[in-house]
């Protein structure tokens, strides 16, 4: 079996589904969403794809394929995905960062045991210094003996979300629960100095 390149996306909301997953999908990754909304997780796993509607003068609909989801409450499953992913990303909202830290820490610990490869977490959060905040939450859940080693191999990389995602209406959500409307612009500037490895 050939190794699948996965990107683990914490948060399958407007930014996660409507922006980041498109970048990962177009870069050849399988996107594994981590979310706690049951219907979103079920829908993603039933369909393995969803449409995004790009609005504006070059309006088009793009299918985001090769996606699946893991429920955020199943720590062991999330950790397993973190352990083997090529890149990690968050778009959960600043208040949710403490809640994803335990599964993230467990995944980084597993990764350290299994293959020891560095990994980067792109932080797409509207929070000043989100990278330091998440690093500190994750740190608390790591075993003392390997904490520094694991943190040294983990990049907490601040990103700037610059794509606008119009608010989805209730009608939108009812007719096509996974569809999302977005503007065409899709660059994601990141803090390159925080990247560990490649």
């Amino acid at each position: 079996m050939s190794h699948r390149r996965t990107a683990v996306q914490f948060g399958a909301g407007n930014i996660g589904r409507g922006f980041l997953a498109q970048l990962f999908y177009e870069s050849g990754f399988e996107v594994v969403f981590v979310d706690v909304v049951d219907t979103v997780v079920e829908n993603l796993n039933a369909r393995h794809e969803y449409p995004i509607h790009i609005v504006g003068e070059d309006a088009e609909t793009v299918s985001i394929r090769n996606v699946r989801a893991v429920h955020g409450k199943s720590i062991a499953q999330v950790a397993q995905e973190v352990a083997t992913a090529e890149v990690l990303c968050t778009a959960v909202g600043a208040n949710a960062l403490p809640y994803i830290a335990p599964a993230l820490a467990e995944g980084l610990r597993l990764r350290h045991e299994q293959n020891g490869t560095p990994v980067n977490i792109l932080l797409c959060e509207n929070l000043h210094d989100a990278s330091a905040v998440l690093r500190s939450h994750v740190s608390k859940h790591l075993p003392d003996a390997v904490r520094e080693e694991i943190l040294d191999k983990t990049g907490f990389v601040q990103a700037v979300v610059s794509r606008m995602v119009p608010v989805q209406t209730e009608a939108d959500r009812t007719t096509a629960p996974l569809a999302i409307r977005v503007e065409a612009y899709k660059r994601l500037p990141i803090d390159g100095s925080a990247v560990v490895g490649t």
Side-chain angles (χ1 to χ4, degrees):
M1 182 185 128
S2 68
H3 176 63
R4 286 187 303 191
R5 300 171 65 223
T6 58
V8 173
Q9 172 60 51
F10 286 86
N14 290 353
I15 302 299
R17 266 199 345 269
F19 178 28
L20 304 163
Q22 181 183 7
L23 295 182
F24 292 136
Y25 167 65
E26 290 175 356
S27 302
F29 290 100
E30 176 189 27
V31 182
V32 182
F33 287 103
V34 176
D35 206 277
V36 290
V37 180
D38 299 339
T39 52
V40 170
V41 172
E42 286 156 19
N43 274 308
L44 285 165
N45 285 329
R47 300 193 169 103
H48 299 287
E49 66 173 289
Y50 62 90
I52 56 175
H53 305 296
I54 294 170
V55 299
E57 47 196 60
D58 299 323
E60 62 169 333
T61 295
V62 177
S63 271
I64 307 301
R65 297 190 175 91
N66 203 14
V67 299
R68 56 192 172 87
V70 173
H71 201 286
K73 291 203 172 105
S74 41
I75 299 231
Q77 243 184 314
V78 175
Q80 206 52 65
E81 297 294 347
V82 169
T84 56
E86 206 156 305
V87 64
L88 311 170
C89 187
T90 77
V92 292
N95 296 339
L97 290 175
Y99 300 103
I100 65 170
L104 202 45
E106 179 54 21
L108 292 170
R109 188 193 65 73
L110 265 184
R111 184 184 194 96
H112 179 69
E113 266 176 27
Q114 291 170 6
N115 58 36
T117 52
V119 71
N120 291 287
I121 307 168
L122 307 179
L123 286 133
C124 301
E125 306 297 345
N126 190 2
L127 170 70
H128 174 68
D129 224 6
S131 50
V133 171
L134 184 60
R135 189 178 197 276
S136 138
H137 286 306
V138 167
S139 176
K140 290 176 203 151
H141 296 279
L142 291 170
D144 295 345
V146 288
R147 178 179 294 123
E148 289 316 313
E149 256 181 287
I150 291 174
L151 290 174
D152 284 347
K153 285 191 289 196
T154 308
F156 291 84
V157 183
Q158 196 93 33
V160 181
V161 173
S162 39
R163 169 177 266 185
M164 298 301 291
V165 179
V167 173
Q168 314 299 308
T169 66
E170 201 48 58
D172 290 339
R173 280 196 289 269
T174 310
T175 50
L178 292 176
I180 238 161
R181 285 199 315 270
V182 299
E183 61 162 22
Y185 186 86
K186 58 170 182 180
R187 288 180 69 93
L188 182 70
I190 64 165
D191 172 12
S193 68
V195 170
V196 176
T198 48

